[in-house]
Amino acid sequence: MNLSERLNEDMKALMKSGDKFALTVVRMIRSAVKNAEIDARRPLSDEEVMDILTREVKQRRDALQEFEKAGREDLADQAKAEIEVIQRYMPQPLTEAELTRIVEETIQEVGASSKADMGKVMSALMPKVKGRADGKQVNAAVQRLLV
């Protein structure tokens, strides 16, 4: 079962279970996927759906920071809950140790030796950690390991 089918099946199950909040979030995700399918004029692959999920989580994290700055705990809590629902459909995030190992391997692969090679490392690294690590987290790890 691909990711789009799983979203559809989960939506049906959430309708039956009465979990209105999760149902609303899944409907928002499905809407974003459907809009992308219309733009592409074809069904999306799981990788493309994962890109949409990643974008949705990033938007909510950005909003979460703004809500916390503004002292809007009610909206911050809602954003956190939406992130949790979306992350059910994403692969398990990398631990710090796993990310460090992948960054070290990539640095060796591309032969990077200084921060001047950071772009080369990042372009080789991002496809490997797609959907499993935040770009800021990856960037920080690369900067830490490149001397």
Side-chain angles (χ1 to χ4, degrees), residues 99-108 125 138 141-142 145:
L99 179 60
T100 301
R101 181 184 51 77
I102 293 171
V103 170
E104 288 170 346
E105 289 172 1
T106 305
I107 288 171
Q108 294 296 322
L125 183 62
V138 174
V142 171
L145 293 171

Side-chain angles (χ1 to χ4, degrees), residues 22-34:
L23 177 60
T24 302
V25 175
V26 170
R27 280 184 170 155
M28 283 190 288
I29 295 167
R30 283 195 59 237
S31 176
V33 169
K34 192 55 94 176

Side-chain angles (χ1 to χ4, degrees), residues 30-44:
R30 283 195 59 237
S31 176
V33 169
K34 192 55 94 176
N35 287 336
E37 286 177 343
I38 290 169
D39 290 344
R41 296 184 179 161
R42 62 176 170 74
L44 300 180

Side-chain angles (χ1 to χ4, degrees), residues 92-102 132-133 137 141 144:
Q92 194 67 22
L94 292 170
T95 65
E96 193 65 36
E98 290 171 326
L99 179 60
T100 301
R101 181 184 51 77
I102 293 171
R132 298 188 65 205
Q137 183 184 17
R144 188 178 68 242

Side-chain angles (χ1 to χ4, degrees), residues 65-140:
Q65 288 177 342
E66 295 302 316
F67 294 148
E68 288 174 344
K69 280 184 199 173
R72 294 293 310 266
E73 288 305 313
D74 55 330
L75 295 175
D77 291 342
Q78 180 178 344
K80 287 177 191 172
E82 288 178 3
I83 289 169
E84 287 177 20
V85 172
I86 296 169
Q87 286 181 331
R88 294 179 194 168
Y89 300 97
M90 298 178 76
Q92 194 67 22
L94 292 170
T95 65
E96 193 65 36
E98 290 171 326
L99 179 60
T100 301
R101 181 184 51 77
I102 293 171
V103 170
E104 288 170 346
E105 289 172 1
T106 305
I107 288 171
Q108 294 296 322
E109 285 173 19
V110 299
S113 58
S114 69
K115 289 195 187 234
D117 298 323
M118 187 155 174
K120 202 172 10 171
V121 174
M122 290 296 289
S123 63
L125 183 62
M126 288 310 289
K128 294 179 184 179
V129 298
K130 190 176 206 171
R132 298 188 65 205
D134 182 53
K136 291 177 187 175
Q137 183 184 17
V138 174
N139 191 317

